[in-house]
Amino acid sequence: MEKRPPKLLLTGHWSILALFNNPRIRSSSSSFPQIPKSNVQLHMAAGSLRKKAHGKRSSLVKPQQPPPMPISSNSPFRTRKTVFLVSVVSALAVIALSWNTWSSFRSTDVVSEQIHSIEVVNEFPHDPAAFTQGLLYGGNDTLLESTGLNGRSSVREVDLQTGKIKALQNMDYAYFGEGLTLLDQRLYQVTWLEKTGFIYDRYNLTKFKKFTHDMKDGWGLATDGKVLFGSDGSSSLYRINPQTMKVITELVVKYKSYEVHNLNELEYINNEVWANIWQSDCIARISPVDGTVIGWILLPELREGLIASGNRIDVLNGIAWDADKKRIFVTGKFWPKLYEIKLQPLRKHLRAPVEQMCLRAPVHFN
Protein backbone atom coordinates (compact mmCIF):
# COMPACT_ATOMS: atom_id res chain seq x y z
CA MET A 1 0.00 0.00 0.00
CA GLU A 2 1.43 3.42 -0.93
CA LYS A 3 1.26 6.67 0.97
CA ARG A 4 -0.71 9.19 -1.07
CA PRO A 5 0.75 12.67 -1.36
CA PRO A 6 -0.81 15.16 1.03
CA LYS A 7 -2.41 18.28 -0.35
CA LEU A 8 -0.55 20.98 1.48
CA LEU A 9 -1.05 24.70 0.93
CA LEU A 10 2.08 26.64 1.66
CA THR A 11 2.39 30.40 1.46
CA GLY A 12 5.06 33.05 1.36
CA HIS A 13 8.44 31.84 0.22
CA TRP A 14 7.36 28.22 0.58
CA SER A 15 7.33 25.48 -2.03
CA ILE A 16 5.67 22.05 -2.02
CA LEU A 17 7.89 18.95 -2.01
CA ALA A 18 7.82 16.99 -5.23
CA LEU A 19 7.55 13.34 -4.26
CA PHE A 20 8.85 10.16 -5.87
CA ASN A 21 6.49 7.28 -6.76
CA ASN A 22 6.09 6.69 -3.04
CA PRO A 23 4.51 9.91 -1.66
CA ARG A 24 7.06 10.17 1.13
CA ILE A 25 9.89 10.33 -1.40
CA ARG A 26 10.88 13.76 -2.63
CA SER A 27 12.95 14.59 -5.64
CA SER A 28 16.13 16.56 -5.29
CA SER A 29 14.76 19.31 -7.48
CA SER A 30 12.26 20.19 -4.83
CA SER A 31 13.06 22.33 -1.90
CA PHE A 32 11.43 23.09 1.32
CA PRO A 33 10.17 26.46 2.21
CA GLN A 34 13.20 28.51 2.57
CA ILE A 35 12.53 28.96 5.55
CA PRO A 36 14.20 26.72 5.57
CA LYS A 37 15.70 23.61 4.89
CA SER A 38 17.27 25.77 7.91
CA ASN A 39 17.54 32.88 8.29
CA VAL A 40 17.67 36.02 6.20
CA GLN A 41 20.92 37.91 6.26
CA LEU A 42 20.49 41.58 5.60
CA HIS A 43 23.13 42.83 3.26
CA MET A 44 23.79 46.48 2.92
CA ALA A 45 25.01 47.39 -0.51
CA ALA A 46 27.32 50.36 -0.51
CA GLY A 47 26.39 52.65 -3.31
CA SER A 48 28.41 55.48 -4.75
CA LEU A 49 27.08 58.97 -5.13
CA ARG A 50 27.94 60.69 -8.33
CA LYS A 51 27.43 64.35 -9.03
CA LYS A 52 27.59 65.78 -12.47
CA ALA A 53 28.31 69.48 -12.65
CA HIS A 54 27.02 71.20 -15.76
CA GLY A 55 28.58 74.65 -16.07
CA LYS A 56 27.12 77.04 -18.61
CA ARG A 57 29.18 79.78 -20.11
CA SER A 58 27.39 82.87 -21.47
CA SER A 59 28.57 85.99 -23.32
CA LEU A 60 28.38 88.99 -21.11
CA VAL A 61 26.99 92.32 -22.43
CA LYS A 62 27.67 95.47 -20.53
CA PRO A 63 24.26 96.84 -19.50
CA GLN A 64 23.47 100.14 -17.91
CA GLN A 65 23.36 98.43 -14.52
CA PRO A 66 26.26 96.17 -13.59
CA PRO A 67 25.10 92.55 -13.85
CA PRO A 68 25.56 89.95 -11.05
CA MET A 69 29.05 88.59 -10.90
CA PRO A 70 29.24 85.24 -12.76
CA ILE A 71 30.61 82.23 -10.85
CA SER A 72 33.50 80.72 -12.69
CA SER A 73 34.78 77.19 -12.28
CA ASN A 74 37.47 78.60 -10.03
CA SER A 75 35.00 80.56 -7.95
CA PRO A 76 35.30 80.18 -4.19
CA PHE A 77 31.52 79.70 -4.09
CA ARG A 78 31.72 76.59 -6.29
CA THR A 79 34.70 75.35 -4.31
CA ARG A 80 32.78 75.66 -1.05
CA LYS A 81 29.80 73.85 -2.56
CA THR A 82 32.04 71.02 -3.74
CA VAL A 83 33.71 70.77 -0.34
CA PHE A 84 30.29 70.67 1.30
CA LEU A 85 29.07 67.85 -0.97
CA VAL A 86 32.27 65.86 -0.44
CA SER A 87 31.83 66.28 3.30
CA VAL A 88 28.24 64.99 3.11
CA VAL A 89 29.28 61.98 1.04
CA SER A 90 32.13 61.23 3.44
CA ALA A 91 29.81 61.51 6.40
CA LEU A 92 27.33 59.10 4.80
CA ALA A 93 30.14 56.65 4.07
CA VAL A 94 31.29 56.82 7.70
CA ILE A 95 27.72 56.25 8.89
CA ALA A 96 27.31 53.26 6.57
CA LEU A 97 30.62 51.76 7.71
CA SER A 98 29.71 52.33 11.34
CA TRP A 99 26.32 50.67 10.81
CA ASN A 100 27.91 47.64 9.17
CA THR A 101 30.39 47.37 12.01
CA TRP A 102 27.64 47.72 14.59
CA SER A 103 25.50 45.15 12.77
CA SER A 104 28.43 42.72 12.75
CA PHE A 105 28.91 43.30 16.44
CA ARG A 106 25.23 42.79 17.10
CA SER A 107 25.20 39.53 15.11
CA THR A 108 26.97 37.87 18.03
CA ASP A 109 23.91 38.49 20.17
CA VAL A 110 21.61 35.53 20.77
CA VAL A 111 18.36 36.10 18.89
CA SER A 112 16.43 33.31 20.60
CA GLU A 113 17.11 30.93 23.44
CA GLN A 114 14.48 28.51 22.11
CA ILE A 115 15.75 28.23 18.55
CA HIS A 116 19.11 26.74 17.59
CA SER A 117 21.10 26.49 14.41
CA ILE A 118 23.82 23.88 14.03
CA GLU A 119 27.54 23.49 13.55
CA VAL A 120 28.71 20.45 11.57
CA VAL A 121 31.44 18.72 13.58
CA ASN A 122 32.02 15.70 11.33
CA GLU A 123 30.69 14.15 8.13
CA PHE A 124 30.44 10.40 7.62
CA PRO A 125 29.45 8.31 4.59
CA HIS A 126 25.88 7.01 4.51
CA ASP A 127 24.18 4.57 2.16
CA PRO A 128 22.48 6.76 -0.50
CA ALA A 129 20.04 3.92 -1.21
CA ALA A 130 18.82 3.84 2.41
CA PHE A 131 15.35 5.30 2.89
CA THR A 132 16.10 6.08 6.54
CA GLN A 133 13.11 5.74 8.87
CA GLY A 134 14.74 5.00 12.22
CA LEU A 135 18.24 5.68 13.56
CA LEU A 136 20.04 5.15 16.85
CA TYR A 137 23.55 4.87 18.22
CA GLY A 138 24.55 1.34 19.19
CA GLY A 139 27.93 2.02 20.82
CA ASN A 140 31.49 1.43 19.58
CA ASP A 141 31.00 3.70 16.56
CA THR A 142 28.07 1.60 15.37
CA LEU A 143 24.68 2.79 14.21
CA LEU A 144 21.45 0.80 14.07
CA GLU A 145 19.10 1.82 11.28
CA SER A 146 15.64 0.97 9.99
CA THR A 147 14.90 1.60 6.31
CA GLY A 148 11.60 1.81 4.48
CA LEU A 149 9.85 1.12 1.16
CA ASN A 150 8.09 -2.11 0.35
CA GLY A 151 10.59 -4.66 -0.89
CA ARG A 152 13.54 -2.57 0.33
CA SER A 153 12.83 -2.31 4.06
CA SER A 154 15.43 -3.59 6.50
CA VAL A 155 17.04 -3.41 9.91
CA ARG A 156 20.80 -2.97 9.71
CA GLU A 157 23.93 -2.44 11.76
CA VAL A 158 26.24 0.14 10.19
CA ASP A 159 29.83 1.17 10.82
CA LEU A 160 29.87 4.88 11.62
CA GLN A 161 33.26 5.67 10.11
CA THR A 162 32.81 3.87 6.79
CA GLY A 163 29.05 3.68 6.37
CA LYS A 164 29.38 -0.02 5.53
CA ILE A 165 26.67 -2.46 6.56
CA LYS A 166 27.92 -4.91 9.18
CA ALA A 167 24.69 -6.90 9.59
CA LEU A 168 21.39 -6.86 7.72
CA GLN A 169 17.89 -8.23 8.24
CA ASN A 170 15.64 -7.70 5.25
CA MET A 171 11.89 -7.44 5.81
CA ASP A 172 9.06 -9.11 3.94
CA TYR A 173 7.75 -7.18 0.95
CA ALA A 174 4.43 -6.60 2.73
CA TYR A 175 6.04 -4.44 5.40
CA PHE A 176 7.29 -0.86 5.15
CA GLY A 177 9.89 -0.35 7.88
CA GLU A 178 9.60 2.69 10.14
CA GLY A 179 10.87 3.85 13.56
CA LEU A 180 13.44 1.91 15.59
CA THR A 181 14.66 2.03 19.19
CA LEU A 182 16.80 -0.08 21.54
CA LEU A 183 15.73 -1.19 25.01
CA ASP A 184 17.35 -3.96 27.08
CA GLN A 185 19.32 -5.23 24.08
CA ARG A 186 16.13 -5.60 22.07
CA LEU A 187 15.37 -3.60 18.96
CA TYR A 188 11.76 -2.46 18.61
CA GLN A 189 10.53 -1.54 15.15
CA VAL A 190 7.16 -0.29 13.90
CA THR A 191 5.80 -0.39 10.34
CA TRP A 192 3.90 2.10 8.23
CA LEU A 193 0.11 1.87 7.79
CA GLU A 194 0.11 -1.03 10.20
CA LYS A 195 -0.32 -1.57 13.89
CA THR A 196 2.27 -4.31 13.58
CA GLY A 197 5.82 -4.17 14.89
CA PHE A 198 8.77 -6.49 15.42
CA ILE A 199 11.37 -7.14 18.10
CA TYR A 200 14.89 -8.16 17.05
CA ASP A 201 17.96 -9.40 18.84
CA ARG A 202 20.32 -6.46 19.07
CA TYR A 203 23.44 -8.48 18.21
CA ASN A 204 22.45 -10.67 15.27
CA LEU A 205 19.25 -8.86 14.20
CA THR A 206 17.25 -12.06 14.22
CA LYS A 207 13.53 -11.45 14.53
CA PHE A 208 12.00 -13.28 17.45
CA LYS A 209 8.71 -11.54 18.24
CA LYS A 210 5.85 -9.77 16.51
CA PHE A 211 3.61 -7.31 18.35
CA THR A 212 0.65 -5.00 17.83
CA HIS A 213 0.33 -1.49 19.25
CA ASP A 214 -2.45 1.04 19.91
CA MET A 215 -1.16 3.95 17.82
CA LYS A 216 -3.08 4.87 14.68
CA ASP A 217 0.03 4.17 12.59
CA GLY A 218 3.73 3.45 13.09
CA TRP A 219 6.18 6.29 12.36
CA GLY A 220 8.73 6.87 15.14
CA LEU A 221 10.04 5.18 18.28
CA ALA A 222 12.36 6.23 21.14
CA THR A 223 12.95 5.25 24.76
CA ASP A 224 14.09 6.75 28.04
CA GLY A 225 15.21 3.33 29.21
CA LYS A 226 11.91 2.59 30.92
CA VAL A 227 9.05 3.24 28.52
CA LEU A 228 8.77 3.70 24.76
CA PHE A 229 7.73 6.90 23.03
CA GLY A 230 5.92 6.60 19.72
CA SER A 231 4.60 8.78 16.91
CA ASP A 232 2.09 8.07 14.16
CA GLY A 233 2.53 11.10 11.90
CA SER A 234 -0.04 13.17 13.75
CA SER A 235 0.49 15.65 16.59
CA SER A 236 0.28 12.88 19.19
CA LEU A 237 3.21 11.66 21.26
CA TYR A 238 2.52 8.30 22.92
CA ARG A 239 4.04 6.71 26.01
CA ILE A 240 3.97 2.93 25.53
CA ASN A 241 4.47 0.05 27.93
CA PRO A 242 7.29 -2.06 26.36
CA GLN A 243 5.95 -5.24 27.94
CA THR A 244 2.41 -5.02 26.58
CA MET A 245 2.90 -2.39 23.82
CA LYS A 246 -0.23 -0.68 25.12
CA VAL A 247 -0.45 3.12 25.20
CA ILE A 248 -0.03 4.55 28.69
CA THR A 249 -0.64 8.21 27.86
CA GLU A 250 -1.17 10.27 24.71
CA LEU A 251 0.03 13.87 24.62
CA VAL A 252 -0.85 16.47 21.99
CA VAL A 253 2.36 18.24 20.98
CA LYS A 254 1.96 22.01 20.76
CA TYR A 255 4.09 25.04 20.01
CA LYS A 256 2.44 28.08 21.53
CA SER A 257 -1.20 27.50 20.56
CA TYR A 258 -0.45 25.46 17.44
CA GLU A 259 -0.53 21.69 17.18
CA VAL A 260 2.68 20.25 15.74
CA HIS A 261 1.67 17.69 13.13
CA ASN A 262 3.73 15.17 11.16
CA LEU A 263 5.85 13.96 14.09
CA ASN A 264 8.22 11.48 12.49
CA GLU A 265 11.47 9.83 13.69
CA LEU A 266 12.12 10.21 17.43
CA GLU A 267 15.10 10.24 19.80
CA TYR A 268 15.28 10.70 23.56
CA ILE A 269 18.02 13.18 24.53
CA ASN A 270 18.62 14.66 27.98
CA ASN A 271 15.04 14.29 29.22
CA GLU A 272 13.59 15.60 25.96
CA VAL A 273 11.97 13.82 23.03
CA TRP A 274 13.39 15.11 19.74
CA ALA A 275 11.23 14.68 16.65
CA ASN A 276 11.81 15.19 12.96
CA ILE A 277 8.88 17.08 11.45
CA TRP A 278 8.10 15.39 8.14
CA GLN A 279 8.56 17.66 5.11
CA SER A 280 10.58 20.23 7.02
CA ASP A 281 14.18 20.97 7.95
CA CYS A 282 13.22 21.19 11.62
CA ILE A 283 13.65 19.09 14.74
CA ALA A 284 11.24 19.77 17.59
CA ARG A 285 12.46 19.43 21.17
CA ILE A 286 9.46 18.18 23.12
CA SER A 287 8.78 17.92 26.84
CA PRO A 288 7.75 14.31 27.58
CA VAL A 289 5.80 15.62 30.56
CA ASP A 290 3.16 17.72 28.80
CA GLY A 291 3.99 17.66 25.07
CA THR A 292 5.08 21.30 24.91
CA VAL A 293 7.69 22.19 22.29
CA ILE A 294 10.47 23.74 24.34
CA GLY A 295 12.79 24.46 21.42
CA TRP A 296 13.54 24.10 17.72
CA ILE A 297 16.64 23.03 15.79
CA LEU A 298 16.91 24.38 12.24
CA LEU A 299 19.00 22.41 9.72
CA PRO A 300 18.17 23.70 6.21
CA GLU A 301 21.81 24.03 5.19
CA LEU A 302 22.33 20.26 5.26
CA ARG A 303 19.67 19.45 2.68
CA GLU A 304 20.43 22.53 0.61
CA GLY A 305 24.14 21.68 0.51
CA LEU A 306 23.47 18.13 -0.69
CA ILE A 307 21.10 19.31 -3.41
CA ALA A 308 23.58 21.97 -4.53
CA SER A 309 26.16 19.18 -4.93
CA GLY A 310 23.84 17.36 -7.33
CA ASN A 311 22.49 14.71 -4.96
CA ARG A 312 18.98 13.36 -5.47
CA ILE A 313 17.70 13.13 -1.93
CA ASP A 314 14.57 13.11 0.18
CA VAL A 315 13.72 14.72 3.51
CA LEU A 316 15.72 15.10 6.70
CA ASN A 317 14.97 12.07 8.88
CA GLY A 318 17.03 10.25 11.49
CA ILE A 319 18.41 11.36 14.86
CA ALA A 320 20.92 9.36 16.93
CA TRP A 321 22.39 10.21 20.34
CA ASP A 322 25.68 8.97 21.75
CA ALA A 323 25.03 9.51 25.46
CA ASP A 324 28.58 8.61 26.52
CA LYS A 325 30.39 11.07 24.26
CA LYS A 326 27.50 13.54 23.97
CA ARG A 327 27.40 13.29 20.19
CA ILE A 328 24.37 14.02 18.01
CA PHE A 329 24.03 12.45 14.56
CA VAL A 330 21.50 13.29 11.85
CA THR A 331 20.83 12.13 8.31
CA GLY A 332 17.97 11.80 5.84
CA LYS A 333 16.27 9.56 3.33
CA PHE A 334 18.59 8.73 0.43
CA TRP A 335 21.25 11.02 1.94
CA PRO A 336 24.85 10.09 1.04
CA LYS A 337 26.12 11.63 4.27
CA LEU A 338 25.50 11.38 7.98
CA TYR A 339 26.44 14.40 10.09
CA GLU A 340 27.68 14.85 13.62
CA ILE A 341 26.31 18.21 14.72
CA LYS A 342 26.56 20.60 17.63
CA LEU A 343 23.82 23.05 18.58
CA GLN A 344 24.50 26.77 18.34
CA PRO A 345 22.32 29.58 19.70
CA LEU A 346 20.54 31.39 16.89
CA ARG A 347 22.49 34.59 16.18
CA LYS A 348 20.74 35.88 13.08
CA HIS A 349 17.16 36.69 12.37
CA LEU A 350 15.02 34.10 10.61
CA ARG A 351 13.94 34.57 7.02
CA ALA A 352 10.42 33.60 8.10
CA PRO A 353 8.62 32.93 11.40
CA VAL A 354 9.43 29.54 12.89
CA GLU A 355 5.73 28.66 12.65
CA GLN A 356 6.01 29.00 8.89
CA MET A 357 9.31 27.15 8.73
CA CYS A 358 8.48 24.16 10.92
CA LEU A 359 4.73 23.67 11.24
CA ARG A 360 2.91 21.62 8.64
CA ALA A 361 -0.71 20.89 7.85
CA PRO A 362 -1.87 17.45 9.01
CA VAL A 363 -1.68 14.61 6.50
CA HIS A 364 -3.83 11.52 6.29
CA PHE A 365 -3.04 8.27 4.50
CA ASN A 366 -5.47 5.50 3.68
Side-chain angles (χ1 to χ4, degrees):
M1 186 177 297
E2 296 183 347
K3 292 187 182 179
R4 302 183 182 278
K7 297 181 180 178
L8 303 180
L9 178 60
L10 306 178
T11 59
H13 297 286
W14 298 52
S15 62
I16 300 177
L17 289 175
L19 305 180
F20 294 156
N21 290 334
N22 188 291
R24 295 183 71 191
I25 306 175
R26 184 191 53 69
S27 69
S28 62
S29 61
S30 65
S31 59
F32 292 122
Q34 303 304 319
I35 318 183
K37 122 166 153 6
S38 199
N39 303 349
V40 173
Q41 298 180 350
L42 302 178
H43 300 280
M44 179 175 292
S48 61
L49 301 177
R50 295 182 176 86
K51 176 181 179 299
K52 295 183 179 179
H54 300 281
K56 290 186 178 180
R57 296 179 181 272
S58 60
S59 58
L60 299 178
V61 180
K62 294 181 181 180
Q64 296 297 324
Q65 297 294 330
M69 182 178 294
I71 300 176
S72 68
S73 59
N74 295 325
S75 168
F77 297 104
R78 183 176 293 276
T79 302
R80 288 172 189 163
K81 186 175 180 180
T82 302
V83 170
F84 174 74
L85 289 175
V86 170
S87 299
V88 170
V89 172
S90 300
L92 290 174
V94 170
I95 291 172
L97 181 61
S98 300
W99 175 255
N100 284 338
T101 303
W102 173 241
S103 298
S104 299
F105 175 76
R106 290 180 64 201
S107 67
T108 62
D109 296 340
V110 175
V111 174
S112 173
E113 296 289 347
Q114 280 190 312
I115 304 172
H116 287 79
S117 59
I118 63 162
E119 172 191 349
V120 174
V121 180
N122 283 304
E123 296 182 4
F124 303 97
H126 180 253
D127 182 3
F131 193 70
T132 304
Q133 298 289 68
L135 187 71
L136 59 100
Y137 185 73
N140 298 320
D141 273 3
T142 296
L143 295 167
L144 296 164
E145 185 173 6
S146 170
T147 66
L149 300 178
N150 295 94
R152 296 172 61 182
S153 294
S154 68
V155 175
R156 55 182 66 182
E157 184 178 17
V158 181
D159 182 83
L160 171 65
Q161 299 295 332
T162 65
K164 293 183 178 180
I165 299 173
K166 299 168 66 176
L168 178 68
Q169 177 67 257
N170 288 314
M171 301 178 67
D172 294 340
Y173 184 91
Y175 294 108
F176 189 118
E178 283 280 351
L180 186 74
T181 194
L182 176 65
L183 176 63
D184 296 332
Q185 307 309 315
R186 293 183 174 187
L187 287 168
Y188 292 76
Q189 180 196 38
V190 288
T191 58
W192 184 49
L193 295 180
E194 303 282 349
K195 294 193 174 185
T196 302
F198 301 99
I199 301 176
Y200 303 84
D201 182 271
R202 181 258 177 269
Y203 295 104
N204 57 24
L205 304 186
T206 55
K207 185 191 305 180
F208 63 84
K209 188 175 181 181
K210 182 178 179 179
F211 64 83
T212 57
H213 56 78
D214 294 337
M215 298 187 294
K216 298 179 181 67
D217 196 355
W219 282 45
L221 280 180
T223 183
D224 63 357
K226 298 177 182 178
V227 301
L228 303 181
F229 294 93
S231 66
D232 58 10
S234 68
S235 58
S236 294
L237 179 68
Y238 301 89
R239 292 177 70 245
I240 302 170
N241 184 324
Q243 303 300 322
T244 64
M245 299 307 295
K246 300 297 182 183
V247 170
I248 302 169
T249 58
E250 178 181 351
L251 301 173
V252 177
V253 176
K254 289 188 176 183
Y255 176 65
K256 297 180 179 178
S257 60
Y258 303 98
E259 288 190 27
V260 181
H261 301 282
N262 298 4
L263 300 179
N264 203 358
E265 210 269 335
L266 305 177
E267 183 62 279
Y268 189 85
I269 302 177
N270 291 334
N271 300 316
E272 300 172 0
V273 177
W274 290 20
N276 286 116
I277 307 302
W278 184 49
Q279 292 190 329
S280 85
D281 293 311
C282 304
I283 293 174
R285 299 169 58 189
I286 304 167
S287 167
V289 177
D290 59 8
T292 300
V293 173
I294 56 182
W296 292 99
I297 305 167
L298 309 181
L299 311 91
E301 61 268 39
L302 299 184
R303 179 182 56 83
E304 292 169 355
L306 290 173
I307 292 175
S309 299
N311 295 286
R312 189 175 179 84
I313 62 171
D314 202 281
V315 295
L316 171 77
N317 201 46
I319 311 166
W321 168 240
D322 175 4
D324 293 333
K325 296 183 179 179
K326 311 301 180 187
R327 295 185 295 176
I328 304 167
F329 303 98
V330 297
T331 190
K333 304 177 184 184
F334 297 142
W335 284 26
K337 292 183 180 181
L338 179 139
Y339 301 90
E340 179 188 347
I341 62 170
K342 185 179 295 185
L343 302 192
Q344 298 290 344
L346 187 67
R347 299 187 184 279
K348 55 186 177 182
H349 292 283
L350 301 176
R351 65 185 70 175
V354 73
E355 292 88 344
Q356 190 178 5
M357 297 174 67
C358 300
L359 301 186
R360 295 292 182 268
V363 294
H364 304 284
F365 299 100
N366 297 324

